[in-house]
Amino acid sequence: MINIGQYNKLKVKKKVDFGYYLEDKFGDEVLLPNSNAKGSKVEVGENLEVFVYRDSKDRLISTLKKPLLTVGDIAYLEVVSQSEIGAFVNIGLERDLFIPLKEQSFKLKTGKKYLFYMYVDKTDRLAGTTKIHEYLDIAEEGKYKVNDEVKVIVYDTAENGTLKIAVDREYIGLILPNEHIEYIYPGEEITARIKRVYEDGILGVTTRKKRLDAREELSEAILNYLRENGGYMPYNDKKLKRNLIQVKITLKWLLAD
């Protein structure tokens, strides 16, 4: 059986002008176009590992090229175009992956990258979804410690403002509303640190710096402003007012119990 969206080990059955026909042990065939052979010397009778998908004419074909995503996996991919029924993301092949509107938890933006899970839909076509929660793993005990620095990507937002994140693109985590000052948009990848490891293995993450680091950064920012402005702080300065609001928020957190 030839599996779409996955790697298949197939035997080269015959050569034709436009490519090669490959077959599995049951005699099912799929075409390997010359353009997908990557200039490799393919011999009749040899076994190849190829990725199988549908081309723009909905024909089942294979390729020796390596896609950025396979069925059952999650990858961080760029949205390259939009239509009335969905979006398309680049997976490194001639055909982009379709993301139906119903599979978008938030509005996708062309040129931005998000986490997607690939699946085979009811029509036997490849499709993707931003609804990746059930496909993420729970971090095994001891993998992360408090204050470990990690890369996180937001994949959804709860009603109370909690950000649902994928830690290192693989594990379930969350950022509580009081653990981030600036809003982090879905698809945005940032560096954060582990604040807590919950009993169920979910990772509590914060974008806040440690109190000592934050205090030093705040002091340095104030000193730099004074140096650049001759030791003077004009309180009617709009930019400064915005900065002072941020300072107030940071100080409140630093002085909290």
Side-chain angles (χ1 to χ4, degrees):
M1 178 179 178
I2 296 176
N3 297 305
I4 185 172
Q6 298 179 7
Y7 290 105
N8 295 255
K9 291 184 178 180
L10 305 175
K11 185 177 181 179
V12 182
K13 181 179 180 180
K14 63 181 178 181
K15 183 181 183 339
V16 292
D17 291 341
F18 46 85
Y20 305 84
Y21 277 101
L22 315 180
E23 66 175 358
D24 64 8
K25 61 182 180 180
F26 302 106
D28 294 329
E29 296 182 355
V30 64
L31 176 67
L32 172 64
N34 288 323
S35 59
N36 283 357
K38 299 197 311 181
S40 302
K41 186 177 181 181
V42 177
E43 301 288 347
V44 174
E46 74 171 305
N47 294 311
L48 298 175
E49 184 176 65
V50 294
F51 179 79
V52 177
Y53 66 108
R54 293 188 184 278
D55 65 10
S56 59
K57 296 182 179 179
D58 211 30
R59 299 173 299 189
L60 205 62
I61 63 170
S62 62
T63 180
L64 288 173
K65 298 176 182 178
K66 303 296 183 183
L68 302 175
L69 180 63
T70 58
V71 165
D73 292 327
I74 295 171
Y76 192 44
L77 305 172
E78 181 182 352
V79 177
V80 293
S81 63
Q82 307 265 0
S83 74
E84 294 181 353
I85 58 174
F88 296 87
V89 300
N90 175 30
I91 59 171
L93 301 177
E94 290 76 11
R95 185 102 188 255
D96 297 321
L97 181 67
F98 179 56
I99 315 296
L101 285 176
K102 66 177 183 178
E103 295 298 335
Q104 299 179 24
S105 299
F106 43 83
K107 176 63 177 176
L108 301 179
K109 296 184 178 181
T110 302
K112 298 293 185 180
K113 298 179 75 172
Y114 306 90
L115 288 173
F116 296 99
Y117 173 85
M118 183 192 282
Y119 65 96
V120 180
D121 68 13
K122 295 179 180 179
T123 64
D124 201 36
R125 295 179 176 87
L126 295 178
T129 179
T130 64
K131 301 173 183 179
I132 66 170
H133 182 81
E134 63 181 293
Y135 307 111
L136 292 170
D137 293 327
I138 295 294
E140 57 267 30
E141 185 177 355
K143 183 172 180 63
Y144 294 99
K145 304 186 300 295
V146 172
N147 288 325
D148 279 354
E149 190 174 272
V150 291
K151 290 285 187 180
V152 305
I153 300 176
V154 178
Y155 66 84
D156 204 354
T157 305
E159 292 183 0
N160 66 354
T162 295
L163 302 177
K164 298 180 181 180
I165 59 172
V167 177
D168 292 332
R169 306 187 185 184
E170 186 174 358
Y171 302 105
I172 296 175
L174 54 84
I175 302 178
L176 298 177
N178 64 338
E179 292 299 340
H180 64 95
I181 298 175
E182 297 181 351
Y183 185 75
I184 308 167
Y185 291 92
E188 189 174 353
E189 184 172 37
I190 63 169
T191 299
R193 64 184 176 89
I194 302 295
K195 179 72 177 290
R196 177 180 179 183
V197 180
Y198 294 94
E199 292 181 1
D200 58 4
I202 291 178
L203 303 170
V205 175
T206 181
T207 64
R208 295 181 179 277
K209 298 179 183 295
K210 297 178 184 178
R211 279 180 164 74
L212 179 59
D213 293 339
R215 189 179 296 116
E216 290 178 350
E217 185 176 284
L218 179 61
S219 299
E220 187 64 26
I222 294 173
L223 287 173
N224 285 337
Y225 188 94
L226 290 171
R227 292 190 192 101
E228 293 170 1
N229 293 274
Y232 177 64
M233 278 190 168
Y235 285 93
N236 62 342
D237 186 292
K238 291 183 179 180
K239 181 178 179 181
L240 179 59
K241 284 183 178 179
R242 291 196 298 268
N243 291 339
L244 287 175
I245 291 174
Q246 184 62 52
V247 168
K248 184 177 179 181
I249 294 172
T250 305
L251 284 173
K252 183 178 180 180
W253 171 69
L254 288 172
L255 297 174
D257 293 332

